[in-house]
Amino acid sequence: MGEAGPVKAVLESVGLAVEAREHRRQWSLWVPAERIVEACRLLKQDQGYRRLSFVTAVDWYPVEPRFEVVYSIHSLERNDWLRVKCRVSGENPEIDSVTGVWGAAGWYEREVFDLFGIRFRHHPDLRRIMMPQDWQGHPLRKDYPLSGAR
Amino acid sequence: MASETTAEGPRTMVLNMGPQHPSTHGVLRLVLELDGETVVKAQPDIGYLHTGIEKTAEVKTYAQAITLTDRVDYLCPMMGNLGFCLAVEGLLALEIPPKAQWMRVMLAELTRLNSHLVWLGTHAIDIGAMSVFLYCFREREEILRLFEMVSGQRMMTTYLRIGGLALEPPLGFFERVRKLADILPERIDEYENLLTENPIWKERTQGVGRISLEDALEHGMTGPILRGSGLQWDIRKAKPYSSYDRFDFDVPVRAGGDVYARYQVRVEEMRQSVRIVQQALDGMPEGAIQADAPHVVLPEREKMKTQMEALIYHFKIVTEGFRVPAGDFSQSVESPRGELAYYVVSDGGPKPYRCFIRGPSFGNLQGLPKLVEGGLLADVISSMGSIDFVLGDTDR
């Protein structure tokens, strides 16, 4: 799905793209975590990525920074999916919410918060979504056991 | 929830709908704030069916993980199989032989028909049209029998494999599919006779649960909801996978944005699916059903018993699974409900390091408040039916 070259150049010109990689014809762009909202706004408004497909995370425990937050965004005009990624440290994992850019991020960020324990700053309603509200721990972390005592 | 208070007490009341309610088709809880019969605020509460499928996938080999993908969206098992297999095949850069691709397309469309038939029957029963359900399940039963014939299972098929299909379809299978495809157009006419011009049906669905395209996109809705709000976007056309570009079909669009428009879109999609099934039958290529990749695909039984090399491959694949090169890959397919995406991350080992499933129902349900707020309580049922969500797909 690869025509992210120009997008990469635009983001690089304002210092927003740390790294860009193409794998099996799909592009991933790494953006500094503290500037994610700025980058997303630029991608949506100037580059036409109107639709947020999903937000998820990958836990690279015990590597640090431990988490990778993945935003899959889609442009109807370009007919292109693009992954934007941020690395987030395992100690007090926090990142700004992109709900102000795409409303669809609401539930996806709640899911990442619930299952990975990454807090989204300025999220309007950051509660657990899958697990019960009083649940301890975050099941999709790699140091969370599949069964048995937590 | 803040609500206006009058001398007699609060003006609004909170009604808890579900998690056990027949029209939620699963376990969805909806917290409704009502002013008389008008819905002021709606808040879906999900997670009752969360079974940790993504976590489980991390400890299964790729071949084992296929069995989990059936159980995500249990109304369209083959669609889950297809999304996952395509994602892993993307990571492996496998070439799938034409016959397997055609079979996949045919089965995916039968799955779409299966899912839409369940949707139509239950949606109609929710609104009060009992008989449609019986008609729809008559044809659905035949589709399930076909699934059983080909895979041995009616619902949890797990018929697809990474690299192709599990087995050759049995003798007589194509004839039966053709028989079904031949009668379906007139059966769909029957359903339409019951509903499309039915004044009660129109009363309950037209102008109800209206959503603009902007709002639908903003809330992460996909599939028939976007097409019912006027966007001609179908992943089968936009980013064809599994040779969909070789098939001739239309993408139905309606501009109404209401429950009736979504109904029309899905019924038309059923007709298009029949067209695709017929084309797949007519043009079914000959040849292998599995890719030529001995390190991934299990060898034939005969070869395994007679050739040393095949025996070694068989042993390795069965005992530890095959390794997938490190990297990530995301595959979107057009499920009956919308964009179903499998995002698979590999660290080079024989098990997925991370397998994220973007179930279309999750995004679609997020927009439910937009559909029901400001409408009547009784219309919540018809709006919910028109979203066609599956809770397994939402909660995973």
Side-chain angles (χ1 to χ4, degrees):
Chain A
M1 307 183 180
E3 55 146 329
V7 179
K8 180 191 155 208
V10 170
L11 284 184
E12 268 172 353
S13 69
V14 286
L16 277 171
V18 182
E19 193 188 335
R21 204 182 298 153
E22 192 186 15
H23 182 70
R24 305 278 187 230
R25 295 177 44 227
Q26 297 189 349
W27 277 91
S28 298
L29 290 176
W30 277 266
V31 168
E34 59 281 3
R35 298 181 71 184
I36 181 67
V37 178
E38 194 186 333
C40 287
R41 192 154 284 144
L42 186 89
L43 284 166
K44 185 185 182 187
Q45 285 165 1
D46 300 350
Q47 301 297 321
Y49 288 89
R50 259 169 86 196
R51 213 173 68 79
L52 176 78
S53 178
F54 61 79
V55 181
T56 187
V58 182
D59 181 4
W60 291 104
Y61 180 78
V63 177
E64 195 56 43
R66 175 173 170 180
F67 296 109
E68 199 169 63
V69 183
V70 183
Y71 302 81
S72 174
I73 57 176
H74 174 226
S75 162
L76 292 162
E77 292 76 30
R78 291 166 189 256
N79 190 20
D80 182 43
W81 275 264
L82 175 68
R83 281 195 292 280
V84 178
K85 298 180 180 176
C86 288
R87 295 201 177 95
V88 175
S89 154
E91 267 180 58
N92 190 25
E94 272 196 332
I95 188 167
D96 282 328
S97 164
V98 297
T99 41
V101 187
W102 297 284
W107 278 21
Y108 288 103
E109 289 183 345
R110 276 178 69 187
E111 187 186 319
V112 173
F113 163 70
D114 187 359
L115 304 179
F116 287 92
I118 300 171
R119 296 196 67 83
F120 290 85
R121 286 183 292 253
H122 316 301
H123 189 287
D125 182 25
L126 195 66
R127 286 179 295 131
R128 284 187 182 270
I129 190 166
M130 295 298 180
M131 310 304 286
Q133 297 300 326
D134 56 353
W135 194 262
Q136 299 286 314
H138 303 285
L140 276 181
R141 287 189 173 189
K142 287 283 174 183
D143 52 357
Y144 187 100
L146 189 74
S147 61
R150 290 188 293 278
Chain B
M1 267 181 231
S3 52
E4 192 190 325
T5 323
T6 61
E8 292 84 40
R11 188 172 161 72
T12 58
M13 70 172 271
V14 173
L15 182 75
N16 198 20
M17 188 173 166
Q20 302 290 347
H21 187 281
S23 78
T24 59
H25 306 294
V27 276
L28 169 73
R29 177 166 160 247
L30 206 55
V31 184
L32 298 166
E33 192 183 329
L34 302 173
D35 179 358
E37 282 206 51
T38 310
V39 179
V40 181
K41 195 170 183 247
Q43 234 181 11
D45 181 12
I46 62 167
Y48 290 94
L49 213 60
H50 180 65
T51 45
I53 286 179
E54 291 172 13
K55 181 86 175 172
T56 316
E58 289 173 11
V59 294
K60 304 278 179 207
T61 63
Y62 286 94
Q64 288 170 334
I66 301 175
T67 59
L68 298 171
T69 63
D70 294 311
R71 286 148 177 87
V72 176
D73 185 345
Y74 39 77
L75 285 185
C76 47
M78 301 271 194
M79 219 53 94
N81 293 172
L82 182 61
F84 180 73
C85 289
L86 285 172
V88 180
E89 284 156 8
L91 276 171
L92 286 161
L94 277 191
E95 186 82 36
I96 308 303
K99 184 173 182 186
Q101 296 201 15
W102 255 250
M103 275 295 287
R104 284 174 171 195
V105 166
M106 192 178 88
L107 290 165
E109 293 311 315
L110 285 173
T111 311
R112 191 182 315 280
L113 282 162
N114 167 28
S115 172
H116 278 3
L117 285 168
V118 175
W119 156 78
L120 183 60
T122 55
H123 185 33
I125 219 172
D126 285 348
I127 297 183
M130 172 87 190
S131 42
V132 185
F133 176 82
L134 302 170
Y135 284 82
C136 289
F137 269 57
R138 178 184 58 190
E139 274 72 67
R140 188 211 179 209
E141 191 55 35
E142 180 58 21
I143 297 180
L144 292 184
R145 287 207 190 105
L146 289 171
F147 285 173
E148 187 177 14
M149 194 172 176
V150 81
S151 72
Q153 283 284 333
R154 286 156 54 84
M155 289 182 75
M156 302 302 143
T157 50
T158 318
Y159 178 61
L160 270 52
R161 290 289 181 277
I162 291 153
L165 306 172
L167 299 158
E168 279 283 351
L171 282 177
F173 175 70
F174 293 119
E175 288 73 23
R176 255 179 99 165
V177 176
R178 182 165 314 268
K179 226 169 123 189
L180 178 71
D182 285 343
I183 57 161
L184 265 172
E186 79 188 64
R187 295 289 162 90
I188 297 169
D189 289 340
E190 277 184 21
Y191 318 143
E192 282 220 79
N193 276 340
L194 287 167
L195 295 174
T196 307
E197 291 304 325
N198 181 331
I200 305 172
W201 179 257
K202 283 166 97 171
E203 195 76 19
R204 290 296 310 270
T205 55
Q206 282 183 338
V208 171
R210 190 162 273 173
I211 190 161
S212 69
L213 179 58
E214 280 303 310
D215 283 340
L217 280 171
E218 186 61 22
H219 285 83
M221 298 171 113
T222 47
I225 301 178
L226 290 185
R227 291 193 283 277
S229 291
L231 179 70
Q232 188 156 38
W233 178 61
D234 187 314
I235 300 166
R236 291 175 293 172
K237 284 270 190 217
K239 282 276 180 216
Y241 49 89
S242 202
S243 295
Y244 264 109
D245 47 341
R246 306 282 296 276
F247 292 84
D248 182 27
F249 62 100
D250 301 321
V251 179
V253 180
R254 294 289 182 281
D258 55 2
V259 176
Y260 192 70
R262 295 190 275 278
Y263 156 75
Q264 286 180 309
V265 165
R266 289 204 183 91
V267 169
E268 187 54 36
E269 270 180 22
M270 282 163 57
R271 295 188 190 281
Q272 298 301 327
S273 290
V274 176
R275 260 179 86 189
I276 300 174
V277 169
Q278 263 156 349
Q279 288 171 44
L281 284 169
D282 292 339
M284 186 64 67
E286 286 300 314
I289 54 157
Q290 284 178 326
D292 181 22
H295 60 293
V296 173
V297 175
L298 279 178
E300 283 167 34
R301 206 78 193 150
E302 190 54 39
K303 278 190 186 157
M304 190 197 92
K305 288 178 177 166
T306 50
Q307 296 176 8
M308 189 64 192
E309 208 177 31
L311 180 67
I312 293 169
Y313 276 126
H314 185 275
F315 181 75
K316 288 202 74 154
I317 295 171
V318 170
T319 51
E320 61 161 44
F322 50 84
R323 290 177 183 276
V324 170
D328 61 350
F329 196 87
S330 162
Q331 175 71 46
S332 296
V333 298
E334 186 74 30
S335 116
R337 276 160 266 289
E339 185 195 9
L340 170 67
Y342 273 81
Y343 175 58
V344 180
V345 181
S346 169
D347 62 348
K351 293 167 182 169
Y353 187 78
R354 171 93 175 96
C355 172
F356 172 76
I357 307 162
R358 185 221 189 265
S361 306
F362 187 84
N364 290 353
L365 257 183
Q366 191 169 201
L368 179 65
K370 202 77 204 163
L371 255 62
V372 301
E373 282 171 2
L376 292 174
L377 175 60
D379 290 340
V380 173
I381 309 290
S382 85
S383 291
M384 277 205 297
S386 78
I387 287 187
D388 184 27
F389 51 80
V390 164
L391 269 308
D393 188 34
T394 314
D395 297 344
R396 303 180 302 271

